[in-house]
Amino acid sequence: MTTNQALLDEAKNTNPARAEKIYKQILVSSASPSGVERDQVLRDQENAMIKLAELYRDQRNAQGLAEVITLSRSFMSSTAKAKTAKLSLCQCSGYCIETHTQIDVLLDNIDWSKREKRIFLKHSLEIRLVSLQLEVSQFKAALTRIDTLLTELKKLDDKIILTEVHPLESRVYRGIGNLVKAKAALTSTRTAANSIYCPPHLQAALDLQSEILHAEDRDYTTAYSYFYETFENMSSQDDPSALNALKYMLLCKVMLNLRTSPLFYPVKLAVKYAQLREIECMRAIALAHQNRNLAEFEKVLRDYKDELSSDPTIRSHLAALYDTLLEQNLLRIIEPYSVVEIDYVAKQVGQGRQDVEAKQAFSPYTMYSLSQMILDKVFYGVLDQGKGRLLVFDEPEVDDTYGAAIDTLEQVGKVVESLYAKTVKIA
């Protein structure tokens, strides 16, 4: 048994403080010149690095986890480059490291990989960095990093990594609201993917991004059908992204204003996700939407704030959904009346009395909604601002007499023109 192996065994049966010192001692030790012994030392260092990271994870020591990567660089310099990339990415995933700390660690490791001329490692770390920058909405920094990365990858003609980078580019452009470039980046991804074997999980990610862009165009019918197909494929592969596909399916169902049960699940595969909090929040939104209850909808937004605000796709559609629900809620309130006080309508949609009185007996938001609904012919009525009332009319019956008379005159005109053409020929 080698010295390092004895130390590893000792670390298993000692207190955390002593174990930490042992693991660090193994990491800074140098490998023996002999081939067999050298390989054993490298394996021991790899085990020590993983165990030390697990120790810091259990202690929730984010700073310690970040230091593990620096300590292990001498070890990684002696390993195969592909294995180095794998180990570095595992460490940079960070267990419990905050996102901003992970970004700092990644930037440091990218500089080190440049100095060591480990191009594959550098590209892998940069892809991970862009993903984290997307999570914290650092779109400008992510786009700058992607532009540089794409330039290098195109020179190397590395289509596999290009297929990973272009979807990130599409997500960045979607984040800044440039849907045209987001779709163009996705097209570039499919072009690169068509010339290589695209792994199923990557193909599913491409499909998911494509469907998200369909939803951004408010084409919820097409997006729903694609989300359905992607969900089935991901579920069969136990892909974690299947949960996102299911959430987006339910969102599209709500946005399409389908009046079926909000508890409906399209396939048996969805049953295992039914009790998750992410699905519960979508079910609650669907129920509030079905009841046309704005207060209930706002309560769902408060109760499931983390689940709804953390997903940019869900978050981007909540404003439109809120406007739709507000419109439906207003319709539900005014439907029984021919004349209704505007301050009563404002209170029913959750406006405080002081705000109502301070704003001329109605909320500007409510007044805007009502006036806009009248202009859009959602219902027929007139706002009497002097008396603070809304007059609601029945939908007028369409009189087709005028239109029929116009059509008749058009046909008579054609007959007259035909007769005139015949008389000209006779003459």
Side-chain angles (χ1 to χ4, degrees):
M1 180 181 294
T2 64
T3 304
N4 286 342
Q5 287 177 316
L7 289 173
L8 286 171
D9 291 337
E10 180 186 348
K12 291 179 182 178
N13 303 313
T14 188
N15 60 74
R18 173 60 180 162
E20 179 183 353
K21 292 181 180 179
I22 292 173
Y23 293 140
K24 288 183 177 180
Q25 179 183 341
I26 296 173
L27 281 175
V28 298
S29 63
S30 58
S32 172
S34 175
V36 176
E37 292 183 4
R38 181 177 182 276
D39 291 341
Q40 182 60 50
V41 170
L42 292 176
R43 283 194 295 270
D44 292 340
Q45 287 182 330
E46 179 182 344
N47 290 332
M49 181 179 64
I50 295 172
K51 292 295 183 181
L52 182 59
E54 291 175 350
L55 178 64
Y56 285 141
R57 175 199 62 190
D58 296 338
Q59 296 175 344
R60 303 194 65 81
N61 186 345
Q63 187 60 37
L65 278 168
E67 291 175 356
V68 169
I69 302 175
T70 303
L71 286 172
S72 61
R73 281 180 181 169
S74 59
F75 151 70
M76 290 192 292
S77 298
S78 305
T79 61
K81 293 186 177 181
K83 190 172 186 179
T84 301
K86 181 179 178 180
L87 291 171
S88 295
L89 288 172
C90 288
Q91 293 179 63
C92 290
S93 296
Y95 294 106
C96 63
I97 300 181
E98 294 181 354
T99 302
H100 291 285
T101 305
Q102 289 188 57
I103 290 175
D104 293 339
V105 172
L106 281 166
L107 288 170
D108 186 41
N109 275 268
I110 288 170
D111 292 337
W112 174 79
S113 62
K114 285 181 182 178
R115 294 193 300 270
E116 295 291 321
K117 297 183 179 179
R118 298 205 167 195
I119 305 302
F120 179 79
L121 173 60
K122 172 180 169 293
H123 292 164
S124 300
L125 293 175
E126 285 182 325
I127 291 173
R128 174 65 181 162
L129 175 61
V130 171
S131 299
L132 292 176
Q133 288 173 332
L134 272 171
E135 290 182 13
V136 294
S137 301
Q138 294 181 2
F139 299 121
K140 185 176 180 180
L143 191 58
T144 302
R145 180 74 58 174
I146 284 175
D147 289 340
T148 304
L149 186 57
L150 285 175
T151 302
E152 296 177 6
L153 292 174
K154 287 176 181 177
K155 290 179 181 178
L156 297 173
D157 197 25
D158 193 336
K159 289 186 171 58
I160 294 179
I161 302 184
L162 279 171
T163 309
E164 298 179 15
V165 176
H166 279 304
L168 292 174
E169 182 186 19
S170 178
R171 290 172 57 193
V172 171
Y173 278 122
R174 173 180 167 269
I176 62 178
N178 193 333
L179 295 182
V180 175
K181 288 192 175 182
K183 292 177 182 177
L186 199 60
T187 302
S188 300
T189 307
R190 297 195 181 280
T191 302
N194 288 336
S195 59
I196 59 170
Y197 169 73
C198 188
H201 72 278
L202 185 55
Q203 184 62 53
L206 297 182
D207 292 339
L208 189 63
Q209 178 64 13
S210 176
E211 294 143 18
I212 289 173
L213 294 180
H214 276 295
E216 290 289 348
D217 287 336
R218 302 296 187 263
D219 186 2
Y220 295 113
T221 302
T222 303
Y224 178 87
S225 62
Y226 284 154
F227 281 133
Y228 186 104
E229 182 179 351
T230 301
F231 172 69
E232 287 187 319
N233 293 336
M234 287 182 166
S235 296
S236 62
Q237 300 168 15
D238 292 327
D239 191 321
S241 297
L243 178 59
N244 288 334
L246 178 58
K247 286 196 303 182
Y248 303 153
M249 280 175 56
L250 297 178
L251 177 65
C252 290
K253 185 179 176 62
V254 175
M255 298 302 292
L256 286 169
N257 200 23
L258 300 179
R259 290 298 179 186
T260 54
S261 170
L263 305 179
F264 169 74
Y265 292 102
V267 289
K268 292 182 179 179
L269 292 171
V271 175
K272 65 180 180 181
Y273 301 100
Q275 302 304 319
L276 296 180
R277 190 169 171 82
E278 290 83 354
I279 300 303
E280 286 181 358
C281 72
M282 297 307 302
R283 192 162 54 214
I285 285 177
L287 189 59
H289 181 266
Q290 188 180 49
N291 295 336
R292 297 191 297 179
N293 191 320
L294 192 64
E296 185 179 342
F297 182 81
E298 291 175 340
K299 183 177 183 300
V300 173
L301 296 182
R302 292 192 299 270
D303 293 344
Y304 296 93
K305 182 179 179 180
D306 293 338
E307 288 78 11
L308 296 174
S309 62
S310 63
D311 191 321
T313 301
I314 298 293
R315 189 173 63 244
S316 67
H317 293 280
L318 285 181
L321 186 59
Y322 185 91
D323 291 340
T324 301
L325 190 57
L326 176 62
E327 178 180 300
Q328 293 176 352
N329 200 47
L330 289 171
L331 283 175
R332 180 178 61 83
I333 294 170
I334 66 177
E335 273 174 356
Y337 303 101
S338 58
V339 180
V340 59
E341 297 289 336
I342 297 177
D343 60 349
Y344 170 76
V345 176
K347 290 176 184 177
Q348 291 300 308
V349 294
Q351 300 292 332
R353 183 168 182 79
Q354 290 183 352
D355 293 335
V356 171
E357 292 177 349
K359 296 175 181 177
Q360 301 177 354
F362 54 83
S363 164
Y365 184 32
T366 306
M367 178 189 173
Y368 171 77
S369 300
L370 291 173
S371 61
Q372 191 64 45
M373 289 165 67
I374 293 172
L375 291 174
D376 294 340
K377 297 185 178 179
V378 176
F379 72 95
Y380 294 86
V382 172
L383 281 170
D384 187 347
Q385 297 184 19
K387 296 182 179 180
R389 299 185 302 180
L390 172 66
L391 309 179
V392 184
F393 306 140
D394 293 332
E395 183 176 352
E397 296 182 0
V398 179
D399 188 354
D400 294 331
T401 304
Y402 181 78
I406 294 296
D407 291 338
T408 301
L409 290 174
E410 288 181 355
Q411 297 301 324
V412 170
K414 292 179 181 178
V415 171
V416 171
E417 290 176 358
S418 177
L419 292 174
Y420 177 75
K422 291 181 179 180
T423 57
V424 170
K425 290 181 181 179
I426 295 173

